[in-house]
Amino acid sequence: MPARAFPALLAPVLLTLLALSGRSAALIVPITGWTPLNGDANFWADPSGQCVMREERHGQAFPQFTTPDDARSFAVKLQSSLGRSVSNVVTQPVDRAGNWGVLAAYDYQQAGVKYRVSQLYLSDRGVLRTVTGSSAAQHSPACVSDMRDFIRYLAN
């Protein structure tokens, strides 16, 4: 399976999580050489195709976290829920200009290939929006560090 394969695991996990627990333009990836795939400004790849990022708006209600404690509480639920279907799950709250999101990192296996995934959960006017990046776990391409830093610090 090529590194461009993108995990399609999120819908059932998100529905479970949402039971527990300003409008944006398309994602802009300010990483040199990254381009939208097939002209889709919500799906980006590095020049080698070894790292991909996708922004999705899920249409499900998602709370706006205004304190780190609210985000941390969701992060704990997310870690527990994701841990049922993926491995090596780590979550943490992340500050986005006074609002809070949750960052998750985990390993996901598909068709015999293990992927390392970084995923940011944000509220966009009360609706879930995610920014997800992945790459094959057995490789350590140069794009991984830039992708993870973008998701961790810049994706908004």
Side-chain angles (χ1 to χ4, degrees):
M1 176 70 55
R4 287 179 190 242
F6 202 87
L9 133 97
L10 301 176
V13 171
L14 291 172
L15 291 174
T16 299
L17 289 171
L18 293 171
L20 300 172
S21 69
R23 185 160 166 86
S24 304
L27 186 65
I28 296 172
V29 179
I31 304 173
T32 303
W34 283 63
T35 56
L37 291 175
N38 299 320
D40 183 348
N42 295 310
F43 196 9
W44 292 70
D46 78 298
S48 71
Q50 294 182 344
C51 293
V52 295
M53 277 192 280
R54 173 177 273 168
E55 175 189 38
E56 294 179 282
R57 287 170 180 78
H58 299 273
Q60 295 125 340
F62 191 74
Q64 181 113 17
F65 302 124
T66 56
T67 69
D69 289 338
D70 291 342
R72 191 172 296 108
S73 176
F74 177 78
V76 169
K77 293 173 188 172
L78 177 64
Q79 185 166 350
S80 175
S81 183
L82 283 173
R84 292 185 213 126
S85 55
V86 296
S87 59
N88 300 318
V89 181
V90 177
T91 61
Q92 69 182 65
V94 291
D95 186 11
R96 289 297 187 268
N99 289 307
W100 291 82
V102 173
L103 180 64
Y106 53 88
D107 291 336
Y108 172 76
Q109 187 134 355
Q110 179 180 338
V113 177
K114 185 188 289 185
Y115 296 92
R116 187 66 183 159
V117 178
S118 294
Q119 187 168 47
L120 180 63
Y121 295 75
L122 300 167
S123 179
D124 186 0
R125 293 183 173 189
V127 175
L128 177 63
R129 189 170 134 249
T130 57
V131 178
T132 307
S134 68
S135 63
Q138 64 269 27
H139 300 108
S140 204
C143 57
V144 170
S145 181
D146 287 342
M147 176 182 69
R148 290 183 184 157
D149 283 351
F150 173 78
I151 293 169
R152 168 67 178 96
Y153 298 107
L154 299 173
N156 210 359

